[in-house]
Amino acid sequence: MLLLDQKNPTQLYVQLYEQIKAQVLSGKRPSHSKLPSVRELATVLSTSRNTVENAYQELLAEGYIYTRPRSGFFVSNLDQEIGTLTPTPKGRPCTRLKERSFSFRYDFHPARLCPECFPAATWRKLFTESLQEYSLHYGQYRDPQGEWRLRSGIRDYLELSRGVICDPEQIVICSGLQQSLDIVAHMMGQHSKRVAVEDPGYYLPRKIFGNHSFEVIPIQPGNEGLDLEQLASSNCSAIYVTPSHQFPTGHVMSIATRLKLLSWSEKSGGIILEDDYDSELRYHGKPIPALQGLHPQGNVIYMGSVSKVLSPALRISYLVLPSALLDRYRMLYSGYFSTVSLLEQQTLARFIEQGYWNRHLRRVRTTYKKKHDALLLAVERHFGERAEVTGQGAGLHVVLGLADQPYSEKELIERAAAKGIFLIPFSDCYASGSSDSNYLLLGFGGMNPEQLEQGIEQLYRAWYT
Amino acid sequence: MLLLDQKNPTQLYVQLYEQIKAQVLSGKRPSHSKLPSVRELATVLSTSRNTVENAYQELLAEGYIYTRPRSGFFVSNLDQEIGTLTPTPKGRPCTRLKERSFSFRYDFHPARLCPECFPAATWRKLFTESLQEYSLHYGQYRDPQGEWRLRSGIRDYLELSRGVICDPEQIVICSGLQQSLDIVAHMMGQHSKRVAVEDPGYYLPRKIFGNHSFEVIPIQPGNEGLDLEQLASSNCSAIYVTPSHQFPTGHVMSIATRLKLLSWSEKSGGIILEDDYDSELRYHGKPIPALQGLHPQGNVIYMGSVSKVLSPALRISYLVLPSALLDRYRMLYSGYFSTVSLLEQQTLARFIEQGYWNRHLRRVRTTYKKKHDALLLAVERHFGERAEVTGQGAGLHVVLGLADQPYSEKELIERAAAKGIFLIPFSDCYASGSSDSNYLLLGFGGMNPEQLEQGIEQLYRAWYT
């Protein structure tokens, strides 16, 4: 039976449509049965013909009913398995799991930035300017490589500050390292699907290449920071490296090893994936120049991002492709679109153009140096001979090596957590996941010097009292 | 010879470092040769010991030199092939190719939005609010599935307006359809790498699955809008479809075909990839409900985006994964991060929460209906019997079918271009690229009614005078 409720806020024709639809789906109105004519039904329901006509047109558009000229409307012949389909549970309660939240008082995650450092007022000003200037461009998809203006700004910065030599045509704006590596993985699809990574190293490249069905070969440090003989015999078509500040050890790849790596690349055609993730943050002397600048015409894909200097929540990174790979990139990605918001790209372009980037860089370098120094002092004060810090002087984390290891890695982390301290396991850095090392990662970006001092004190207590 | 220039803005120690580095790289200072002591060199250059010490420390950090206790500094043994490396061309002019620009007066691209419709003032206001509320969260990487608040808002909208039944836990915020499909392709990597697509259909899914080494099987419309027998025999593990508004033909997939497609999916385990790209834009009656809602527990991956209603330059889309696939998603993507800016996600979340999304939707529906009607009228007026429009009543484009085809597709497009009219070839929609059809795509979103009238008049002249 069909009923229309004048008090129901749902339009009358929609009420009618919903009811007939339910009858058709449930089989109450059999296939090919005739529906009442528009006039009849309007009379029965005391409603206008328009209401019935509109409901029938909807049912017709979605194929619930069909029409035969001069005969009226009939129920369509639907699949017999309808009964197995779940009816739409309108208005059912939704299980809203709580958003995961950190309840740790001391967060030593190695990629936390200073929460107060984001230049919100400047960002708002430049965002508003971009919104005005580009107002007529929101209606269009944009260049897959990203905004030219941003690429130009990044080119100038990279040449001056990182020694990277390239043209804006070689730059691709990406939404984070993972997208950069997705592109790289696609471009390498024609080569052997074997890629080398540093071991210990960052877990994400291993994971991403694994998801692209690559065989991931961990390369040990050896005597030179990277075992080049192991690399040469591995038959890999690429290697992911962090030469300016090895993650997690903090080592700088020596010029001799860089040159040997370039020579491997020249001989084997292998691609060097240089992740320059945090090299701007160096607290003594000048930043270490990028490997790419040693051989700009070589097989080096340079990768950078704003995640360590500005914010990892903005999701802006960039690839610098060697000229020789541009044709392949364009073949694969023609018809794609940029994955980064036009507004954020233009805001960042202005941020660089108007000198804010360099000013911000100087400011955060000072801030992080203070945090870095406070951490080292606190470790010295509380751990004394019981621990040694390595990989200091740059970035957002150091490595803590325990002289004697009172507990397993798992227990160390659990005892820390019980005191409200968050640590990520060093074993995540090993391809094997081996956790028998006595190392721990201490990120210092997210806490102020007082919190660092307290956190380290608590950490000592968690393990030694 | 080493020279320090007090007038050079580069710091003295950096000047010294650069010069010694160049000498080492060029071989002018041979391997293992001793460098002058800090004291000696400071005297020779009339500079402070500090300057020399800092330069030596940089060279040491990068491995250009090494030190032996009580013996001093020595040049490292570098690879012999240094000579082949290109020196860094500092300050070289940069070939800045001009940004590609459209010089067309009439742009009939099927995915152009109304340039004046972007709600810039509201967006700025909500962006500023998000910037304030989340100021302490810019220092962290965010959930790979996206902000919970945005997912909740999208869930509510989808249930009410699209008939999609899901939980926010099933939603993944992505940076456009291409990222959505990248995720889908990874998730399907364990199945047979064969995917079906509609033919004619949107080119991008074909391209993306191809880049993921899938075999792409085009499925013809047949009698039911989709040849289900061809699909059943194709042995595909998934099919990409646009049921609410087929691209490019504009057809609505009938309920009978939807049920048969679901039944194929149940029997074969095949996944239905439902791209609901522009279904909000329907100009008569109510939007066609999504296929997902017919069987929310089935193998349907629902995909939507803000590209057609709000802006394709924002790069925000979403996936709704079936509960059964969530474990696989989490296994593949644990440790990844969201690819969409926190600020833009929070801005969109507020836009939905505060009712702007629904208001905006009503507004643009009215705007596009006017443009749509103006286009149909102009075609009727200028082409008369010479053309027929199909796929009208929804979305941002219609299909123009020419009764007799005066020129080849290529010539039609070139003659249009000569009059300042931009058209994309209909043949792009065919997997085969076959271009012997008499169809053309006419997008109407980017132009106002007057431009549409003029553009169609010019188009007629381009082809028939």
Side-chain angles (χ1 to χ4, degrees), chain A residues 76-112:
Chain A
S76 301
N77 183 24
L78 302 184
D79 197 296
Q80 290 309 306
E81 293 175 45
I82 315 164
T84 66
L85 299 177
T86 318
T88 305
K90 278 268 159 101
R92 103 224 109 86
C94 167
T95 44
R96 300 235 159 150
L97 304 184
K98 263 189 64 187
E99 195 165 1
R100 271 153 278 184
S101 63
F102 274 103
S103 57
F104 292 103
R105 288 181 62 200
Y106 307 104
D107 182 357
F108 285 103
H109 190 289
R112 289 282 177 270

CSV table of all heavy atoms in Angstrom, one decimal, chain A residues 76-112:
chain,number,residue,atom,x,y,z
A,76,SER,N,10.2,-3.6,-14.2
A,76,SER,CA,11.3,-4.3,-14.9
A,76,SER,C,11.6,-5.7,-14.4
A,76,SER,O,11.3,-6.0,-13.2
A,76,SER,CB,12.6,-3.4,-14.8
A,76,SER,OG,12.4,-2.2,-15.3
A,77,ASN,N,12.2,-6.5,-15.2
A,77,ASN,CA,12.6,-7.8,-14.8
A,77,ASN,C,13.9,-7.8,-14.2
A,77,ASN,O,15.0,-7.6,-14.8
A,77,ASN,CB,12.6,-8.7,-16.1
A,77,ASN,CG,12.9,-10.2,-15.7
A,77,ASN,OD1,12.7,-10.6,-14.6
A,77,ASN,ND2,13.5,-10.9,-16.7
A,78,LEU,N,14.0,-7.9,-12.8
A,78,LEU,CA,15.2,-7.8,-12.1
A,78,LEU,C,15.8,-9.2,-11.8
A,78,LEU,O,15.1,-10.2,-11.7
A,78,LEU,CB,15.0,-7.0,-10.9
A,78,LEU,CG,14.5,-5.6,-11.1
A,78,LEU,CD1,14.5,-4.8,-9.8
A,78,LEU,CD2,15.3,-4.8,-12.1
A,79,ASP,N,17.1,-9.2,-11.5
A,79,ASP,CA,17.8,-10.4,-11.1
A,79,ASP,C,17.1,-11.1,-9.9
A,79,ASP,O,16.6,-10.4,-9.0
A,79,ASP,CB,19.2,-10.0,-10.7
A,79,ASP,CG,20.1,-11.2,-10.7
A,79,ASP,OD1,19.9,-12.1,-9.9
A,79,ASP,OD2,21.0,-11.2,-11.5
A,80,GLN,N,17.0,-12.4,-10.0
A,80,GLN,CA,16.3,-13.2,-8.9
A,80,GLN,C,17.0,-13.1,-7.6
A,80,GLN,O,16.4,-13.4,-6.5
A,80,GLN,CB,16.1,-14.6,-9.3
A,80,GLN,CG,15.1,-14.8,-10.5
A,80,GLN,CD,13.8,-14.1,-10.2
A,80,GLN,OE1,13.2,-14.3,-9.2
A,80,GLN,NE2,13.4,-13.2,-11.1
A,81,GLU,N,18.3,-12.7,-7.5
A,81,GLU,CA,19.0,-12.8,-6.3
A,81,GLU,C,18.9,-11.5,-5.4
A,81,GLU,O,19.6,-11.3,-4.5
A,81,GLU,CB,20.5,-13.0,-6.6
A,81,GLU,CG,20.7,-14.4,-7.2
A,81,GLU,CD,22.1,-14.6,-7.6
A,81,GLU,OE1,23.0,-14.3,-6.8
A,81,GLU,OE2,22.4,-15.1,-8.7
A,82,ILE,N,17.9,-10.7,-5.8
A,82,ILE,CA,17.7,-9.5,-5.0
A,82,ILE,C,17.6,-9.7,-3.6
A,82,ILE,O,18.2,-9.0,-2.7
A,82,ILE,CB,16.4,-8.8,-5.5
A,82,ILE,CG1,16.3,-8.8,-7.0
A,82,ILE,CG2,16.3,-7.4,-4.9
A,82,ILE,CD1,14.9,-8.5,-7.4
A,83,GLY,N,16.9,-10.8,-3.2
A,83,GLY,CA,16.7,-11.1,-1.8
A,83,GLY,C,17.9,-11.2,-1.0
A,83,GLY,O,17.9,-10.9,0.2
A,84,THR,N,19.0,-11.5,-1.6
A,84,THR,CA,20.3,-11.6,-0.9
A,84,THR,C,20.9,-10.3,-0.6
A,84,THR,O,21.8,-10.2,0.2
A,84,THR,CB,21.3,-12.5,-1.7
A,84,THR,OG1,21.7,-11.7,-2.8
A,84,THR,CG2,20.7,-13.8,-2.1
A,85,LEU,N,20.4,-9.3,-1.2
A,85,LEU,CA,21.0,-8.0,-1.0
A,85,LEU,C,20.5,-7.3,0.3
A,85,LEU,O,19.3,-7.4,0.6
A,85,LEU,CB,20.7,-7.0,-2.2
A,85,LEU,CG,21.2,-7.6,-3.5
A,85,LEU,CD1,20.8,-6.6,-4.7
A,85,LEU,CD2,22.7,-7.7,-3.5
A,86,THR,N,21.4,-6.7,1.0
A,86,THR,CA,21.0,-6.0,2.2
A,86,THR,C,20.2,-4.8,2.0
A,86,THR,O,20.6,-4.0,1.2
A,86,THR,CB,22.3,-5.6,3.0
A,86,THR,OG1,23.2,-6.7,2.8
A,86,THR,CG2,22.0,-5.3,4.4
A,87,PRO,N,19.1,-4.6,2.6
A,87,PRO,CA,18.4,-3.3,2.4
A,87,PRO,C,19.1,-2.2,3.1
A,87,PRO,O,19.9,-2.4,4.0
A,87,PRO,CB,17.0,-3.6,3.2
A,87,PRO,CG,17.3,-4.6,4.2
A,87,PRO,CD,18.5,-5.5,3.6
A,88,THR,N,18.9,-1.0,2.6
A,88,THR,CA,19.6,0.2,3.1
A,88,THR,C,19.2,0.5,4.5
A,88,THR,O,18.0,0.8,4.8
A,88,THR,CB,19.3,1.3,2.2
A,88,THR,OG1,19.6,1.0,0.9
A,88,THR,CG2,20.1,2.6,2.6
A,89,PRO,N,20.1,0.4,5.5
A,89,PRO,CA,19.7,0.6,6.9
A,89,PRO,C,19.7,2.1,7.2
A,89,PRO,O,20.7,2.6,7.8
A,89,PRO,CB,20.7,-0.1,7.7
A,89,PRO,CG,22.0,-0.2,6.8
A,89,PRO,CD,21.5,0.0,5.4
A,90,LYS,N,18.7,2.8,6.8
A,90,LYS,CA,18.7,4.3,7.0
A,90,LYS,C,18.7,4.7,8.4
A,90,LYS,O,18.0,4.1,9.2
A,90,LYS,CB,17.4,4.9,6.3
A,90,LYS,CG,17.6,5.1,4.8
A,90,LYS,CD,18.0,6.5,4.4
A,90,LYS,CE,18.6,6.5,3.0
A,90,LYS,NZ,17.8,7.0,2.0
A,91,GLY,N,19.5,5.7,8.7
A,91,GLY,CA,19.5,6.2,10.1
A,91,GLY,C,20.0,5.3,11.2
A,91,GLY,O,19.9,5.6,12.3
A,92,ARG,N,20.7,4.3,10.7
A,92,ARG,CA,21.3,3.4,11.7
A,92,ARG,C,22.4,4.1,12.5
A,92,ARG,O,23.0,5.0,11.9
A,92,ARG,CB,21.8,2.1,11.0
A,92,ARG,CG,23.3,2.1,10.8
A,92,ARG,CD,23.7,1.7,9.4
A,92,ARG,NE,24.2,2.8,8.6
A,92,ARG,CZ,25.5,3.1,8.6
A,92,ARG,NH1,26.3,2.4,9.3
A,92,ARG,NH2,25.9,4.1,8.0
A,93,PRO,N,22.7,3.7,13.7
A,93,PRO,CA,23.7,4.4,14.5
A,93,PRO,C,25.1,4.1,13.9
A,93,PRO,O,25.3,3.0,13.3
A,93,PRO,CB,23.6,3.9,15.9
A,93,PRO,CG,22.9,2.5,15.7
A,93,PRO,CD,22.1,2.6,14.5
A,94,CYS,N,26.0,5.0,13.9
A,94,CYS,CA,27.3,4.8,13.3
A,94,CYS,C,28.3,4.5,14.4
A,94,CYS,O,28.4,5.3,15.4
A,94,CYS,CB,27.6,6.0,12.5
A,94,CYS,SG,29.4,6.1,12.0
A,95,THR,N,29.1,3.5,14.3
A,95,THR,CA,30.1,3.2,15.2
A,95,THR,C,31.3,4.1,15.0
A,95,THR,O,32.1,3.9,14.2
A,95,THR,CB,30.7,1.8,15.1
A,95,THR,OG1,30.8,1.5,13.7
A,95,THR,CG2,29.7,0.8,15.7
A,96,ARG,N,31.3,5.2,15.8
A,96,ARG,CA,32.4,6.2,15.6
A,96,ARG,C,33.5,5.8,16.6
A,96,ARG,O,33.5,6.2,17.8
A,96,ARG,CB,31.9,7.6,15.9
A,96,ARG,CG,30.8,8.0,15.0
A,96,ARG,CD,31.1,9.3,14.3
A,96,ARG,NE,30.3,9.4,13.2
A,96,ARG,CZ,29.9,10.5,12.6
A,96,ARG,NH1,30.2,11.7,13.2
A,96,ARG,NH2,29.1,10.5,11.5
A,97,LEU,N,34.5,5.1,16.1
A,97,LEU,CA,35.6,4.8,16.9
A,97,LEU,C,36.3,6.1,17.2
A,97,LEU,O,36.3,7.1,16.4
A,97,LEU,CB,36.6,3.9,16.1
A,97,LEU,CG,36.0,2.6,15.6
A,97,LEU,CD1,37.1,1.8,15.0
A,97,LEU,CD2,35.4,1.8,16.8
A,98,LYS,N,36.9,6.2,18.4
A,98,LYS,CA,37.6,7.5,18.7
A,98,LYS,C,38.8,7.7,17.9
A,98,LYS,O,39.5,6.7,17.5
A,98,LYS,CB,38.0,7.4,20.2
A,98,LYS,CG,37.0,8.2,21.1
A,98,LYS,CD,37.5,8.3,22.5
A,98,LYS,CE,38.7,9.2,22.6
A,98,LYS,NZ,39.3,9.2,24.0
A,99,GLU,N,39.1,8.9,17.6
A,99,GLU,CA,40.3,9.2,16.8
A,99,GLU,C,41.5,8.8,17.7
A,99,GLU,O,41.5,9.1,18.9
A,99,GLU,CB,40.4,10.7,16.5
A,99,GLU,CG,41.4,11.1,15.5
A,99,GLU,CD,41.1,12.5,14.9
A,99,GLU,OE1,40.2,13.2,15.4
A,99,GLU,OE2,41.9,12.9,14.0
A,100,ARG,N,42.4,8.1,17.1
A,100,ARG,CA,43.6,7.7,17.8
A,100,ARG,C,44.3,8.9,18.4
A,100,ARG,O,44.5,9.9,17.6
A,100,ARG,CB,44.6,6.9,16.9
A,100,ARG,CG,44.3,5.4,16.8
A,100,ARG,CD,44.8,4.9,15.5
A,100,ARG,NE,43.8,5.0,14.5
A,100,ARG,CZ,43.9,4.6,13.2
A,100,ARG,NH1,45.0,3.9,12.9
A,100,ARG,NH2,43.0,4.8,12.3
A,101,SER,N,44.7,8.9,19.6
A,101,SER,CA,45.3,10.1,20.1
A,101,SER,C,46.5,9.7,21.0
A,101,SER,O,46.6,8.6,21.6
A,101,SER,CB,44.3,10.9,21.0
A,101,SER,OG,44.0,10.1,22.1
A,102,PHE,N,47.5,10.5,20.9
A,102,PHE,CA,48.7,10.3,21.7
A,102,PHE,C,48.5,10.8,23.1
A,102,PHE,O,48.1,11.9,23.3
A,102,PHE,CB,49.9,11.0,21.1
A,102,PHE,CG,50.6,10.2,20.0
A,102,PHE,CD1,50.4,10.5,18.7
A,102,PHE,CD2,51.4,9.1,20.3
A,102,PHE,CE1,51.0,9.8,17.7
A,102,PHE,CE2,52.1,8.4,19.4
A,102,PHE,CZ,51.8,8.7,18.0
A,103,SER,N,48.7,9.9,24.1
A,103,SER,CA,48.6,10.3,25.4
A,103,SER,C,49.9,10.4,26.1
A,103,SER,O,50.0,10.4,27.3
A,103,SER,CB,47.6,9.4,26.2
A,103,SER,OG,48.1,8.1,26.1
A,104,PHE,N,51.0,10.3,25.3
A,104,PHE,CA,52.3,10.4,25.9
A,104,PHE,C,52.8,11.8,26.3
A,104,PHE,O,52.5,12.7,25.5
A,104,PHE,CB,53.3,9.8,24.9
A,104,PHE,CG,53.2,8.3,24.6
A,104,PHE,CD1,52.6,7.9,23.4
A,104,PHE,CD2,53.6,7.4,25.5
A,104,PHE,CE1,52.4,6.5,23.2
A,104,PHE,CE2,53.5,6.0,25.3
A,104,PHE,CZ,52.8,5.6,24.1
A,105,ARG,N,53.4,11.9,27.4
A,105,ARG,CA,53.9,13.2,27.9
A,105,ARG,C,55.2,13.6,27.1
A,105,ARG,O,55.4,14.7,26.9
A,105,ARG,CB,54.1,13.2,29.4
A,105,ARG,CG,52.9,13.2,30.2
A,105,ARG,CD,53.2,13.2,31.7
A,105,ARG,NE,53.9,14.4,32.1
A,105,ARG,CZ,54.6,14.5,33.2
A,105,ARG,NH1,54.7,13.5,34.0
A,105,ARG,NH2,55.2,15.7,33.5
A,106,TYR,N,56.0,12.6,26.8
A,106,TYR,CA,57.3,12.8,26.2
A,106,TYR,C,57.3,12.0,24.9
A,106,TYR,O,57.3,10.8,24.9
A,106,TYR,CB,58.4,12.4,27.1
A,106,TYR,CG,58.3,13.1,28.5
A,106,TYR,CD1,57.9,12.4,29.6
A,106,TYR,CD2,58.6,14.4,28.6
A,106,TYR,CE1,57.8,13.0,30.8
A,106,TYR,CE2,58.5,15.1,29.9
A,106,TYR,CZ,58.1,14.3,31.0
A,106,TYR,OH,58.0,14.9,32.2
A,107,ASP,N,57.3,12.7,23.8
A,107,ASP,CA,57.2,12.1,22.5
A,107,ASP,C,58.6,12.2,21.8
A,107,ASP,O,58.9,13.2,21.3
A,107,ASP,CB,56.1,12.7,21.6
A,107,ASP,CG,55.9,12.0,20.3
A,107,ASP,OD1,56.7,11.1,20.0
A,107,ASP,OD2,55.0,12.5,19.5
A,108,PHE,N,59.4,11.1,21.8
A,108,PHE,CA,60.7,11.1,21.2
A,108,PHE,C,60.7,10.5,19.7
A,108,PHE,O,61.7,10.0,19.2
A,108,PHE,CB,61.7,10.2,22.0
A,108,PHE,CG,62.1,10.9,23.3
A,108,PHE,CD1,61.6,10.6,24.5
A,108,PHE,CD2,63.1,11.9,23.2
A,108,PHE,CE1,62.0,11.2,25.7
A,108,PHE,CE2,63.5,12.6,24.4
A,108,PHE,CZ,63.0,12.2,25.6
A,109,HIS,N,59.5,10.6,19.1
A,109,HIS,CA,59.4,10.2,17.7
A,109,HIS,C,60.4,11.0,16.9
A,109,HIS,O,60.5,12.2,17.0
A,109,HIS,CB,58.0,10.4,17.2
A,109,HIS,CG,57.7,9.8,15.8
A,109,HIS,ND1,58.3,10.3,14.7
A,109,HIS,CD2,57.0,8.8,15.4
A,109,HIS,CE1,57.9,9.6,13.6
A,109,HIS,NE2,57.1,8.6,14.1
A,110,PRO,N,61.2,10.3,16.0
A,110,PRO,CA,62.3,11.1,15.3
A,110,PRO,C,61.8,12.1,14.2
A,110,PRO,O,62.6,12.8,13.7
A,110,PRO,CB,63.1,9.9,14.6
A,110,PRO,CG,62.1,8.8,14.5
A,110,PRO,CD,61.2,8.9,15.6
A,111,ALA,N,60.5,12.1,13.9
A,111,ALA,CA,60.1,13.1,12.9
A,111,ALA,C,59.0,14.1,13.5
A,111,ALA,O,58.1,14.4,12.8
A,111,ALA,CB,59.5,12.3,11.7
A,112,ARG,N,59.2,14.5,14.7
A,112,ARG,CA,58.3,15.5,15.2
A,112,ARG,C,58.9,16.9,15.1
A,112,ARG,O,60.1,17.1,15.4
A,112,ARG,CB,58.0,15.3,16.7
A,112,ARG,CG,57.2,14.1,17.0
A,112,ARG,CD,55.7,14.3,16.8
A,112,ARG,NE,55.0,13.1,17.0
A,112,ARG,CZ,54.7,12.1,16.1
A,112,ARG,NH1,55.1,12.4,14.9
A,112,ARG,NH2,54.1,11.0,16.4
